[in-house]
């Protein structure tokens, strides 16, 4: 499925279905849908979401949040924490997903958005993935004229997506 998404992102010019997207509602729905996985891992999730709507492709935005939240769950420690925030001003929108997971080594931060990149499997034994998710996320954010940044250390990882509020 991710390869099909990448192919579409790479080769189709006008596939985006742009409309007004209620980001708060979208994030709340997604967080609720992951409830059983969050509970199963004994995670604590907190979120603070401003009322916020932006123009964009709802399905593509959902892929971004889904990837970031599923990674925060997957790479977190049992009993860890996840914080999701949505800050909305007249000019900018900032969505942050922070986890208390295993972190990403500093020397690998510059490559995590590369296609097929996976963090050293000895750090994350038994966690499956294609290494395409964050590449897709970066491409989708870019299609919406946004940016994504990451910071990480041994106490967890923080992803920040910035969009223009147009």
């Amino acid at each position: 499925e991710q390869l099909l998404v990448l192919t579409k992102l790479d080769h189709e010019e006008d596939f985006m279905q742009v409309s007004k997207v209620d980001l708060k509602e979208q994030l709340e729905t997604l967080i609720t849908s992951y409830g059983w996985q969050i509970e199963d891992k004994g995670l604590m999730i907190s979120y603070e979401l401003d009322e916020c709507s932006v123009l964009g492709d709802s399905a593509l935005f959902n892929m971004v949040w889904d990837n970031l939240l599923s990674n925060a769950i997957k790479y977190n420690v049992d009993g860890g924490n996840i914080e999701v925030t949505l800050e909305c001003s007249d000019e900018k929108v900032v969505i942050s997903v922070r986890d208390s997971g295993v972190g990403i080594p500093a020397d690998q931060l510059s490559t995590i958005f590369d296609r097929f990149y996976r963090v050293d499997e000895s750090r994350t034994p038994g966690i499956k993935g294609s290494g395409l998710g964050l590449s897709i996320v970066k491409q989708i954010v870019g299609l919406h004229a946004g940016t994504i940044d990451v910071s990480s250390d041994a106490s967890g990882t923080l992803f920040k997506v910035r969009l223009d509020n147009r």
Side-chain angles (χ1 to χ4, degrees), residues 27 46-50 83-87 94-97:
L27 286 163
S46 61
Y47 52 97
E48 190 171 322
L49 308 173
D50 289 350
E83 297 171 24
V84 180
T85 60
L86 166 60
E87 301 170 82
V94 180
I95 301 93
S96 300
V97 178

Side-chain angles (χ1 to χ4, degrees), residues 4-117:
L4 291 173
V5 170
L6 269 177
T7 300
K8 187 176 267 194
L9 291 172
D10 284 345
H11 300 293
E12 292 188 30
E13 300 278 322
D14 295 322
F15 69 93
M16 285 183 35
Q17 302 288 318
V18 177
S19 63
K20 193 171 187 178
V21 181
D22 183 336
L23 294 180
K24 180 181 181 181
E25 180 182 329
Q26 195 173 55
L27 286 163
E28 284 176 334
T29 300
L30 186 67
I31 290 166
T32 300
S33 76
Y34 274 103
W36 68 270
Q37 287 181 326
I38 291 167
E39 187 176 313
D40 191 45
K41 234 177 150 170
L43 301 173
M44 291 296 298
I45 187 162
S46 61
Y47 52 97
E48 190 171 322
L49 308 173
D50 289 350
E51 295 289 338
C52 191
S53 294
V54 297
L55 289 177
D57 185 304
S58 180
L60 292 179
F61 275 147
N62 200 62
M63 275 187 215
V64 171
W65 321 138
D66 185 46
N67 185 279
L68 295 178
L69 185 56
S70 68
N71 281 351
I73 295 167
K74 193 180 338 180
Y75 294 103
N76 214 324
V77 295
D78 288 351
N81 298 303
I82 298 172
E83 297 171 24
V84 180
T85 60
L86 166 60
E87 301 170 82
C88 194
S89 72
D90 290 340
E91 296 154 9
K92 287 282 182 198
V93 176
V94 180
I95 301 93
S96 300
V97 178
R98 178 188 305 271
D99 67 55
S100 60
V102 297
I104 302 165
D107 65 334
Q108 296 181 33
L109 284 173
S110 64
T111 57
I112 63 166
F113 294 107
D114 293 349
R115 289 180 184 186
F116 303 108
Y117 173 79

